[in-house]
């Protein structure tokens, strides 16, 4: 059943899906604010949600360096949020997951 699934698939998928779920919490269920700011939603969508989508595409697509691009794209806002208290610090973990998945892909000859 899970014959073709490798460690980098798991690391990349958990990181990508985790980033997308954390973004939804940040924008729609944020415990620190009761309004949705359109500018913040757009900016964080571009910097946090889209790298998660790119990471998922790189897992099953033909061009594996997209995982590295997802890491480089998300690393700065993720480091900023990693320094905050609360659940949004997990964006740092998801960004690191992109890098780990990419390095595992390179080790397995997939990158």
């Amino acid at each position: 059943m899970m014959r073709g699934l490798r460690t980098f698939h798991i690391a990349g998928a958990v990181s990508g899906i985790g980033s997308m779920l954390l973004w939804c919490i940040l924008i729609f269920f944020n415990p620190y604010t009761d309004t949705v700011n359109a500018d913040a939603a757009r900016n964080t969508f571009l910097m946090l949600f889209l790298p998660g989508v790119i990471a998922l595409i790189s897992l099953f697509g033909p061009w594996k360096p997209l995982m590295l691009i997802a890491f480089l794209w998300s690393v700065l806002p993720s480091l900023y949020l990693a320094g905050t208290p609360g659940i949004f610090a997990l964006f740092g973990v998801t960004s690191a997951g992109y890098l780990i998945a990419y390095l595992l892909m390179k080790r397995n000859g997939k990158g």
Side-chain angles (χ1 to χ4, degrees):
M1 182 166 102
M2 293 179 46
R3 186 169 177 223
L5 199 61
R6 297 206 173 142
T7 308
F8 69 83
H9 285 111
I10 296 168
V14 167
S15 297
I17 293 169
S19 277
M20 291 186 282
L21 290 174
L22 282 170
W23 180 83
C24 289
I25 294 170
L26 176 69
I27 298 304
F28 301 114
F29 307 107
N30 193 338
Y32 303 110
T33 183
D34 56 355
T35 62
V36 175
N37 184 339
D39 289 333
R42 183 184 64 246
N43 291 339
T44 57
F45 179 83
L46 292 173
M47 299 306 288
L48 298 169
F49 189 91
L50 282 183
V53 172
I54 290 173
L56 291 176
I57 291 170
S58 76
L59 289 175
F60 304 106
W63 203 54
K64 302 303 181 187
L66 281 176
M67 187 67 75
L68 181 62
I69 291 169
F71 167 71
L72 294 173
W73 190 345
S74 70
V75 70
L76 290 178
S78 295
L79 284 175
Y80 173 77
L81 289 168
T84 63
I87 190 171
F88 304 122
L90 291 175
F91 276 112
V93 175
T94 61
S95 185
Y98 301 150
L99 180 62
I100 291 168
Y102 176 72
L103 294 175
L104 289 171
M105 282 181 196
K106 292 295 280 186
R107 189 181 77 188
N108 290 329
K110 299 292 183 190

